[in-house]
Amino acid sequence: MRTLQRVFAACLAVVAVGCGTESSEPEAPSLRTQVAEVVSPNGRNLNGRNLNGRNLNNDELGGMLVSVAYSGATSTSGKALTNVRLQGSAFVGLDGPNPVTGMGFNGARFVGKLGDGSTLPVRVDGISQGSGVDSDLWSYQVSYQGSDGSWRSVCQDANGGALSAIAVAGRWNYLQGVAGGGEKIEDATAFTFACEGAAIAKCMHFGYKPWATVNGQSLAGHHQACTRMVRADFCGDGASHTTDGQWVNLYDGVGVQTDTESWSTEAEWNEAGARCFTSETRAHAPVTCSGFNPIPDCGSTSHFQSGTRLISESPYGVSGL
């Protein structure tokens, strides 16, 4: 049976652009249903404009939380944690000579970096491990310390409620409309707390875990291509060309996501953005990318052998959607 993966990005993302969809589209599920269904790996998906949570983008802090450093981590007792790193999305490190892993990082503090270059304390307030095929997805309740000394959730929903995050190695360029925007930066000194409901975390739930492999092939490239696809970042410059709540079908050549719909080809994707796209996009309007040189025969599955990571399809123009 076809699984409907209805992750309503606008309602889960920290910055809500709008929770409504066109009246001809299927009714949006409840928030509880959205969270439950996010673990289902195949089927229709709802896109969103948000790359990661942006509740730190305010006057008090001067910018959003763009990365977190491994160095400077401390335990609940204030002792320095050394050799901290991620294995998948689980932290490991040392407290003196003693190994610290997994749940042992509950209460740990890190140093977060903001977009303006300043730093602030970040604290892990709760940890839970996924189950089954997602046993390698660890969720963290994370807070930051404001200028008044109080602690506030890093990831929040549209109503200000706390959301969890997944820790993932490296950091992203959150600029939009410029060269390098939306790019994954492989920084061995830093990691990202990816807020649930936004593209970085959503793509891991889709099965594209950047630390995982399928038949010996790393999924890191698929994950980054997915973050471009979810946001309709056709030009590969960090700018989104869609509105929250648009339906999209995606599939790949490694069997993580399979083609479940008979919709029109929208685009082919790699880490840098779209390799090609058609008029049937979620933008519902012409998209122009400076210097864009599309590959021919857009949507051919043979392109999985020559650099295409994902193919997306849009129901735009399909009767009843």
Side-chain angles (χ1 to χ4, degrees):
M1 178 180 294
R2 179 181 300 160
T3 301
L4 296 183
Q5 199 174 25
R6 298 178 177 177
V7 188
F8 207 160
C11 297
L12 290 178
V14 175
V15 174
V17 180
C19 293
T21 60
E22 297 179 5
S23 59
S24 60
E25 293 183 344
E27 181 180 356
S30 67
L31 179 60
R32 182 173 64 180
T33 301
Q34 293 157 18
V35 174
E37 290 186 350
V38 77
V39 299
S40 303
N42 287 298
R44 305 177 186 179
N45 301 281
L46 288 172
N47 75 177
R49 295 169 57 85
N50 214 15
L51 181 59
N52 199 7
R54 297 199 173 200
N55 71 299
L56 294 188
N57 189 13
N58 57 43
D59 293 337
E60 177 193 41
L61 297 172
M64 64 175 293
L65 183 68
V66 296
S67 64
V68 184
Y70 291 116
S71 63
T74 59
S75 67
T76 53
S77 63
K79 292 181 61 178
L81 298 173
T82 60
N83 199 28
V84 176
R85 61 197 186 280
L86 282 168
Q87 291 184 347
S89 61
F91 289 106
V92 298
L94 294 172
D95 182 353
N98 303 314
V100 183
T101 61
M103 298 293 182
F105 277 82
N106 195 15
R109 296 191 184 190
F110 295 91
V111 178
K113 183 178 181 180
L114 302 179
D116 64 359
S118 61
T119 61
L120 81 172
V122 175
R123 185 180 67 193
V124 176
D125 298 320
I127 304 174
S128 60
Q129 183 179 5
S131 60
V133 296
D134 282 340
S135 61
D136 56 346
L137 285 183
W138 291 69
S139 294
Y140 301 87
Q141 293 290 332
V142 189
S143 60
Y144 69 94
Q145 190 172 33
S147 59
D148 60 358
S150 63
W151 292 85
R152 305 178 182 90
S153 296
V154 166
C155 300
Q156 300 176 11
D157 62 21
N159 298 317
L163 291 174
S164 59
I166 302 171
V168 58
R171 56 188 174 90
W172 272 260
N173 182 337
Y174 295 107
L175 297 177
Q176 299 181 34
V178 299
E183 180 181 2
K184 171 73 180 291
I185 301 167
E186 299 295 344
D187 185 345
T189 70
F191 66 93
T192 296
F193 276 124
C195 295
E196 292 285 9
I200 299 172
K202 186 178 294 186
C203 288
M204 287 185 273
H205 284 297
F206 288 173
Y208 302 119
K209 303 166 186 176
W211 56 84
T213 60
V214 173
N215 296 324
Q217 181 175 350
S218 170
L219 294 180
H222 289 78
H223 179 264
Q224 175 58 10
C226 178
T227 67
R228 301 281 194 185
M229 185 282 303
V230 165
R231 301 183 63 253
D233 181 6
F234 295 106
C235 300
D237 60 0
S240 175
H241 294 273
T242 186
T243 56
D244 289 338
Q246 298 289 308
W247 289 101
V248 63
N249 180 44
L250 71 151
Y251 51 99
D252 55 67
V254 295
V256 174
Q257 290 271 350
T258 58
D259 187 3
T260 63
E261 308 295 335
S262 298
W263 293 351
S264 301
T265 295
E266 177 192 56
E268 295 186 28
W269 303 88
N270 64 12
E271 297 90 328
R275 300 186 75 199
C276 62
F277 54 89
T278 72
S279 60
E280 304 295 328
T281 72
R282 286 162 279 159
H284 299 271
V287 177
T288 302
C289 301
S290 177
F292 187 66
N293 186 25
I295 61 174
D297 195 18
C298 196
S300 172
T301 56
S302 66
H303 295 163
F304 286 135
Q305 308 304 315
S306 58
T308 294
R309 303 292 193 182
L310 307 173
I311 295 176
S312 61
E313 294 178 339
S314 169
Y316 182 41
V318 176
S319 176
L321 287 172

